[in-house]
Amino acid sequence: MPTVALLGTGLLGEAIGLRLLAQGVKLHVWNRSAEKCEALLAAGAEPIDHLAGAARSCDTVITVLRDGPVSADVVAALGDLGGACCLPMGTMGISESRELATQVQAQNGCYLEAPVLGSKPEALKGSLLVMAGGDTDVFEAQLPLLQLLSGDPKLMGEVGRGAACKLALNQLIASLTHGYSLALRLVEASGLEVERFMEVLRPSALYAPTVDKKLERMLGHHYADPNFSTALLRKDLQLFLREAPLLGIDASGLNGLLTLLKRAEHTALDDGDYSALHELTSKR
């Protein structure tokens, strides 16, 4: 089994770490807030007290950090990577990922972006959807590790294409959640029972399983214990809107949704499940 350094042990990072430990991986862990490593340390991980030089005894460095700039700063603090592979699993921009690949090469490492779709439950079960970007030989070398986290890790192409896939998917999360929220608001305001509406929606081509996953939260206004927060959804939508013009895409239609999500800042909705977007579509 490989030796892995895991940098970033938030909700998803912790679950990834627990899965790797359960599969026999030797794991070293670091987080800016050290208390977030406690569950992994209790499960058998070793702490990284100082980032400098921490990668030289590892085969792979997995980062699960907030964004591209934070990932670049933390990886830079490692110094010489000693040939280790840097495997960022958080969401970042296409250009950010390509810049990080160049940085990693300068630090004597190899690079494979590997953003994931899924959160804590999927990570613990090893059923994350991995969309990698990088050289084929690097992907093949990391495949046994990725298969501990995903039933079918996919190589999307060169560096940047995995990041593009992840940004596209997260934009769909935002847009679908917004669309379903508006539909539910109209249905309820008209006096139509939501379940009658769902009886028509479920067998139609318009149906997506996410609506049933979030329906109870939306109708019950229950957003605690999130797997993916409103704040992170807003962050990723902002990232999509920043990257889109660089690729010649007019994504201005999403600006209204971003404005809506900004209303959650500095409120309890920001830390809640992203389906809290439903609260923002009410005039009340």
Side-chain angles (χ1 to χ4, degrees):
M1 281 292 181
T3 300
V4 174
L6 174 64
L7 312 180
T9 57
L11 189 71
L12 178 59
E14 179 185 279
I16 287 173
L18 290 171
R19 171 69 180 179
L20 294 177
L21 286 168
Q23 298 300 305
V25 171
K26 185 176 181 181
L27 192 67
H28 301 265
V29 297
W30 174 91
N31 194 79
R32 197 177 301 277
S33 301
E35 65 272 10
K36 290 190 175 182
C37 292
E38 290 175 358
L40 290 168
L41 297 177
E46 296 291 331
I48 296 173
D49 296 319
H50 303 286
L51 285 174
R56 288 198 292 267
S57 61
C58 296
D59 303 296
T60 304
V61 176
I62 294 176
T63 65
V64 193
L65 298 162
R66 178 176 176 84
D67 55 28
V70 171
S71 300
D73 288 345
V74 171
V75 171
L78 294 169
D80 190 291
L81 294 172
C85 181
C86 180
L87 202 68
M89 290 190 152
T91 304
M92 65 178 73
I94 300 165
S95 54
E96 291 173 339
S97 186
R98 289 173 176 165
E99 289 168 4
L100 184 55
T102 301
Q103 174 186 322
V104 165
Q105 290 171 356
Q107 290 179 234
N108 191 28
C110 63
Y111 186 83
L112 183 75
E113 64 186 8
V116 301
L117 188 66
S119 190
K120 181 178 179 178
E122 292 79 17
L124 292 173
K125 291 186 294 185
S127 60
L128 292 168
L129 299 178
V130 173
M131 54 213 88
D135 293 339
T136 301
D137 57 344
V138 179
F139 175 74
E140 292 295 335
Q142 295 301 314
L143 188 55
L145 176 62
L146 292 174
Q147 287 174 330
L148 300 179
L149 299 169
S150 171
D152 185 22
K154 295 188 181 299
L155 179 62
M156 311 308 294
E158 64 187 26
V159 172
R161 291 180 181 173
C165 187
K166 179 64 161 98
L167 279 181
L169 289 168
N170 280 19
Q171 182 276 137
L172 280 174
I173 291 172
S175 293
L176 283 170
T177 304
H178 183 222
Y180 282 127
S181 174
L182 291 175
L184 289 174
R185 289 289 181 199
L186 185 70
V187 164
E188 289 186 300
S190 75
L192 174 63
E193 292 180 9
V194 170
E195 188 52 36
R196 298 303 302 276
F197 167 69
M198 293 301 299
E199 288 171 1
V200 176
L201 176 62
R202 287 188 184 105
S204 78
L206 298 172
Y207 178 71
T210 185
V211 69
D212 267 316
K213 288 180 67 176
K214 298 302 179 182
L215 188 58
E216 185 178 348
R217 283 186 178 273
M218 288 178 166
L219 297 181
H221 311 284
H222 168 67
Y223 309 110
D225 304 316
N227 289 323
F228 188 56
S229 70
T230 308
L232 289 177
L233 184 67
R234 181 177 63 251
K235 183 265 295 183
D236 289 351
L237 186 62
Q238 287 175 312
L239 189 53
F240 184 96
L241 283 164
R242 194 187 76 192
E243 291 283 329
L246 301 178
L247 298 171
I249 299 167
D250 183 357
S252 58
L254 293 172
N255 286 327
L257 177 52
L258 179 59
T259 298
L260 196 68
L261 285 167
K262 284 182 176 179
R263 286 170 47 195
E265 287 185 285
H266 311 301
T267 75
L269 298 179
D270 230 20
D271 294 326
D273 185 86
Y274 68 84
S275 57
L277 191 162
H278 187 55
E279 300 302 310
L280 305 174
T281 58
S282 171
K283 282 278 190 180
R284 295 190 298 273

